[in-house]
Amino acid sequence: MSEVMSVEVNGNGGPELPERTALQRLLGASTVWIGVVLVALCIVFSVIRPDAFPTRFTFQTLLIETSVLLVLSVGMTFVIITSGIDLSVGMVLIFSGVIGAKSMEWLSPDQDATGAGWGIIGIGFLLSVAGGGVWGLLNGLLVAKAKIPPLIVTLGSFGAALGAAQLITGGVDTRTVPENLRDTLGFGTTLGGVPNLVLVATVVTVVAAWVLHTTRFGRYTYAIGSNEEAARRSGIAVTRHLVTVYLLTGVLAGLAGFMNLAYFGTTTIGGHTTDNLDAIAGVVIGGTSLFGGVGSIVGTVIGVFIPSVLKKGFVIAQVPVFWQPIAVSVVLVAAVWFDQLRRRARDRK
């Protein structure tokens, strides 16, 4: 999305949205420009290290390392388009991974899930996704029904989800992850070497893009972010829709937690402290407006990969690690500045 899809109430009380094709919504001007930036970064690092960056191994590891963050960012895209925010996704990811790991451990003989079969793994998956969904539902109810600002609600969930994960594990990572899960989802490949983690992230992304850009649910998401009151007056069930959006974000965080568990083979309680900020940064860099009403899944995909390429390129080019957050911060601020310029230009029309 490169333009705000503002909602105007017509004489019949219904919303009038700009007539735009799905292709136009997917390939807005901002999406094209951030795509050019991503390609330029890849070219620069390929020139600097032609022996290391443009290799199959580098791109494969880049895709794997970005898969979990991409799933988080897809959910965040829906939330930010509604003019909301979710600071809890990183901790919900940890909580969901803990629930999945512990449930598989409890269901296994001698509480060792290393040799667990697919039945137990399936239960662990369902509980991981359900655990994320519970936090998402709670966030949605507090934001949409209790009218508490999403920043406060999700900041509270951030601490509560992490505390709950630590209480369940005693602060010690669970490492008895089924080998079948690690060999299949964590390190397995399909279609001639495509990592299964990447395939899962791709499916999630494609389905989310279809929902956001071609369905009524997606149109209502844009409408609420553009003008919540106008959307409400036009007959959109704003409260129910917002609860569903936060629920969706929680479910995707639960899925990301299970993917993370499969890849690392542990609950990684001490990690992911910046995943929420990384997801927000990727979404905003991808052209989604923090003011709501603007955004696309394609933009999010590109936006998530820009910081990932920067970090990977800096490591390969042997740039000191301390420059990585500085570079990402500059790109993020530039993206928000561009969004503000675009909004001012639109308001002057």
Side-chain angles (χ1 to χ4, degrees):
M1 284 293 295
S2 62
E3 300 175 5
V4 175
M5 295 188 65
S6 60
V7 178
E8 297 178 359
V9 180
N10 59 26
N12 298 322
E16 292 183 350
L17 297 178
E19 293 294 331
R20 307 180 70 205
T21 66
L23 181 60
Q24 288 174 323
R25 289 196 297 270
L26 285 171
L27 299 177
S30 61
T31 303
V32 173
W33 279 111
I34 59 176
V36 171
V37 171
L38 178 60
V39 172
L41 287 174
C42 292
I43 293 174
V44 168
F45 287 124
S46 297
V47 171
I48 294 175
R49 287 296 304 272
D51 60 323
F53 190 83
T55 65
R56 176 179 177 179
F57 176 77
T58 297
F59 281 109
Q60 189 176 56
T61 55
L62 179 65
L63 290 172
I64 293 173
E65 293 169 358
T66 310
S67 295
V68 172
L69 180 59
L70 179 58
V71 172
L72 285 180
S73 300
V74 165
M76 187 71 73
T77 303
F78 282 85
V79 170
I80 294 181
I81 288 176
T82 65
S83 194
I85 201 76
D86 191 344
L87 298 178
S88 67
V89 290
M91 299 305 104
V92 172
L93 180 155
I94 292 174
F95 175 84
S96 300
V98 165
I99 291 296
K102 279 299 184 181
S103 63
M104 291 187 289
E105 187 177 82
W106 293 330
L107 292 171
S108 300
D110 301 323
Q111 292 194 344
D112 184 358
T114 305
W118 287 108
I120 291 177
I121 293 173
I123 294 174
F125 168 74
L126 292 176
L127 290 177
S128 288
V129 174
V134 167
W135 285 107
L137 179 61
L138 177 62
N139 287 338
L141 291 173
L142 292 175
V143 170
K145 287 188 173 292
K147 305 299 182 183
I148 303 174
L151 179 69
I152 302 302
V153 170
T154 58
L155 185 60
S157 299
F158 177 99
L162 176 60
Q166 291 173 328
L167 284 173
I168 293 172
T169 61
V172 179
D173 279 315
T174 299
R175 301 181 184 277
T176 57
V177 177
E179 292 181 357
N180 285 336
L181 177 61
R182 298 206 68 195
D183 293 340
T184 303
L185 179 59
F187 298 101
T189 60
T190 310
L191 302 176
V194 180
N196 289 335
L197 280 175
V198 176
L199 288 178
V200 172
T202 300
V203 171
V204 170
T205 302
V206 170
V207 172
W210 174 78
V211 170
L212 181 62
H213 299 294
T214 65
T215 69
R216 179 180 297 179
F217 184 87
R219 292 194 296 272
Y220 286 178
T221 301
Y222 284 114
I224 292 170
S226 295
N227 191 322
E228 182 176 326
E229 185 58 31
R232 194 184 305 276
R233 293 187 180 187
S234 68
I236 296 175
V238 173
T239 299
R240 183 176 63 188
H241 192 91
L242 286 175
V243 171
T244 305
V245 166
Y246 280 92
L247 172 61
L248 172 64
T249 305
V251 167
L252 290 178
L255 173 60
F258 195 75
M259 293 168 64
N260 178 78
L261 187 67
Y263 183 64
F264 288 104
T266 177
T267 49
T268 59
I269 297 176
H272 309 286
T273 55
T274 63
D275 277 10
N276 55 345
L277 300 180
D278 291 340
I280 293 171
V283 172
V284 173
I285 291 172
T288 299
S289 174
L290 287 170
F291 300 98
V294 177
S296 75
I297 298 298
V298 173
T300 292
V301 173
I302 301 173
V304 167
F305 272 99
I306 286 179
S308 298
V309 169
L310 279 171
K311 293 177 181 179
K312 177 67 71 175
F314 280 0
V315 170
I316 292 175
Q318 298 181 338
V319 176
V321 66
F322 308 108
W323 283 101
Q324 296 177 13
I326 295 175
V328 173
S329 299
V330 169
V331 174
L332 175 61
V333 172
V336 175
W337 176 68
F338 178 77
D339 178 52
Q340 289 183 325
L341 290 179
R342 184 174 53 189
R343 287 172 57 86
R344 290 169 189 164
R346 182 205 65 196
D347 293 341
R348 285 195 296 265
K349 293 181 179 179

